[in-house]
Amino acid sequence: MITQVASTEVVRDINRRIILNLIRTRHPISRADLARVSGLQRSTVSSIVEQLIAERWVLYGATGRLPRGRRPTFLRLNDERVIVGVDIRPIQTTVALADANGQFISHEMMPTSTDPELAVNRLIESITRSIRASTGKKVEGIGISLPGRFSPESERLVFAPNLRWGDFDIRTPIRNATGLEVEMENAANACVLAAVWFDRLDDSKNFVVVTVSEGIGTGILANGRLVQGLNGMAGEFGHVPLEPDGPVCGCGSRGCWEVFGSNRAALRYYSEEVNEAAQMSFPDLLSRADHGDVRAARALARMAHYLGRGRRMIVAGLAPERIIVVGDLTRSWHRFGPVIEAEVQRQVLPGGCPPKLVPAHEDGRARLRGTIALVLQKHFGVFD
Ligand SMILES: [Zn+2]
């Protein structure tokens, strides 16, 4: 009996999500069209819609015109409900405000302090500013993407080798200062959520997101579910050693994939060639290569080669349908795509099928979109 109740609830949640996503992607849409497109019964559609309207997630829009019969009322998502998205990266932090459709309304960037207490205080100031600026809108919650791992049990940051904030409670001070719920997730996992929620990849049940920045992160969707693993630590392919005698990694080990395939690695390759400790950013390196600097191009090619080498682990271990790449490198995809692809193709197992390699559609906001999805999924249950 209990199982039956549970399964009815699961079905209802799934139907609710289907309806909500149809309204989100096809609005304005009538109930009759919702029933037709979803294949659900009209009574089921109506009761879900009533609930969504009561919760003010959905609003009545214009009234349609038909040659005869009742005029349909179109439905749309309520864009007066907004979410604060925060993307903490080792060098820079972004605070943005977006509506439930994932449209960004404002954003603010600041350098990330190495002192976690100072960084969180600045973050609170920025969040407060963006909430104040959103007059008349209902702020639904705060989503935060982290360059590391957050333990939901201890509510603390447990592993962030490139951030070096140590074991620190980010959530409590932000929750106390704003009175809002704060959802936190590893950056690569947030990108998985963004792909499912906003890129309409929910027909794809097996894909991996690889985030390439100061480090390398991976988020895994397997059989339609986000893989968390013990202590939420699944997906740390970036810290699997490719060469045990390689350079020391932020995690304390040597020769990890990320010390060879990250943005930092390319900058290191470049400074080795030009014999100077160049104080430049990864985007600088990309543009130098585009302006004909062959040493910059060589450094990027070396990074691409290693990205491909490491990716074999993912293909052999998880056999994903696609691998989505997130990061500044997607802006120069012609340099990276073919090299990575060739590396992966060389090692496809007999009977295996190489995954589709896709650069994330890059406005640099995949992580931020993930933080919005993180808050939305608490309400709509993407995975549960
Ligand atoms: Zn490592």
Side-chain angles (χ1 to χ4, degrees):
M1 202 58 193
I2 290 167
T3 325
Q4 234 171 22
V5 171
S7 69
T8 312
E9 277 174 7
V10 169
V11 169
R12 194 176 163 82
D13 280 349
I14 292 169
N15 290 344
R16 179 184 154 100
R17 184 183 158 214
I18 291 169
I19 296 299
L20 190 81
N21 274 299
L22 283 174
I23 297 172
R24 185 166 68 82
T25 54
R26 299 192 182 212
H27 68 110
I29 185 168
S30 68
R31 284 167 218 236
D33 283 339
L34 280 174
R36 190 177 49 76
V37 179
S38 67
L40 295 170
Q41 294 204 350
R42 283 201 59 164
S43 56
T44 308
V45 170
S46 281
S47 88
I48 292 171
V49 165
E50 286 313 319
Q51 196 192 355
L52 290 170
I53 287 173
E55 293 168 6
R56 295 192 58 77
W57 278 107
V58 168
L59 295 176
Y60 289 115
T63 307
R65 285 188 181 282
L66 282 180
R68 57 196 146 89
R70 248 175 73 188
R71 286 177 170 186
T73 307
F74 291 118
L75 303 161
R76 64 181 173 87
L77 219 52
N78 184 1
D79 51 19
E80 295 296 300
R81 291 180 91 119
V82 294
I83 294 133
V84 180
V86 178
D87 178 23
I88 300 177
R89 298 175 64 163
I91 297 168
Q92 187 173 266
T93 296
T94 309
V95 175
L97 202 67
D99 65 26
N101 291 304
Q103 299 297 317
F104 288 96
I105 301 157
S106 66
H107 80 282
E108 189 174 302
M109 290 201 277
M110 67 195 98
T112 306
S113 171
T114 48
D115 173 359
E117 210 173 312
L118 187 65
V120 168
N121 284 340
R122 281 194 194 143
L123 196 55
I124 290 169
E125 285 167 19
S126 174
I127 292 170
T128 313
R129 265 196 302 278
S130 57
I131 292 173
R132 261 197 224 117
S134 69
T135 39
K137 298 190 192 308
K138 180 173 185 317
V139 184
E140 210 51 53
I142 300 169
I144 301 181
S145 134
L146 296 163
R149 298 288 169 166
F150 167 77
S151 157
E153 287 79 33
S154 68
E155 301 220 325
R156 295 172 93 86
L157 194 61
V158 288
F159 177 70
N162 295 311
L163 189 62
R164 301 206 174 107
W165 279 4
D167 175 0
F168 188 76
D169 179 5
I170 305 171
R171 182 188 255 167
T172 309
I174 298 176
R175 193 160 46 190
N176 290 348
T178 61
L180 292 166
E181 277 307 310
V182 180
E183 309 297 338
M184 311 185 80
E185 187 52 275
N186 163 261
N189 285 351
C191 292
V192 171
L193 287 175
V196 171
W197 188 262
F198 296 116
D199 298 340
R200 301 175 206 175
L201 279 186
D202 43 2
D203 55 326
S204 182
K205 301 288 178 225
N206 295 284
F207 66 81
V208 174
V209 171
V210 178
T211 56
V212 183
S213 55
E214 289 79 9
I216 296 180
T218 61
I220 304 161
L221 189 82
N223 302 327
R225 298 192 73 88
L226 186 66
V227 177
Q228 295 280 10
L230 191 62
N231 294 335
M233 288 289 286
E236 287 297 346
F237 287 101
H239 294 287
V240 175
L242 293 186
E243 289 175 18
D245 299 325
V248 176
C249 176
C251 74
S253 186
R254 269 183 184 277
C256 294
W257 182 24
E258 76 169 41
V259 299
F260 293 111
S262 62
N263 295 0
R264 276 187 184 167
L267 291 168
R268 189 179 73 243
Y269 301 147
Y270 185 71
S271 67
E272 279 166 15
E273 280 225 41
V274 299
N275 280 324
E276 61 178 25
Q279 280 299 316
M280 61 191 290
S281 68
F282 185 71
D284 290 341
L285 188 64
L286 291 178
S287 68
R288 278 197 194 194
D290 285 343
H291 287 94
D293 183 337
V294 288
R295 289 175 300 189
R298 232 175 0 242
L300 295 173
R302 208 168 148 194
M303 170 189 173
H305 161 77
Y306 275 109
L307 279 174
R309 258 191 71 185
R311 207 144 306 190
R312 287 186 204 152
M313 298 186 279
I314 296 170
V315 178
L318 299 165
E321 293 152 20
R322 65 180 89 201
I323 296 178
I324 303 165
V325 183
V326 174
D328 289 329
L329 77 164
T330 56
R331 292 187 345 221
S332 289
W333 192 241
H334 64 284
R335 289 186 193 284
F336 290 92
V339 180
I340 299 171
E341 198 108 45
E343 276 295 326
V344 175
Q345 295 274 3
R346 281 201 314 157
Q347 283 290 316
V348 175
L349 298 168
C353 182
K356 227 162 108 185
L357 186 67
V358 224
H361 83 92
E362 197 46 61
D363 50 6
R365 286 177 163 177
R367 293 160 188 247
L368 273 178
R369 269 194 296 274
T371 64
I372 306 306
L374 194 57
V375 175
L376 289 173
Q377 70 137 1
K378 289 285 153 191
H379 295 278
F380 302 117
V382 176
F383 296 109
D384 299 303

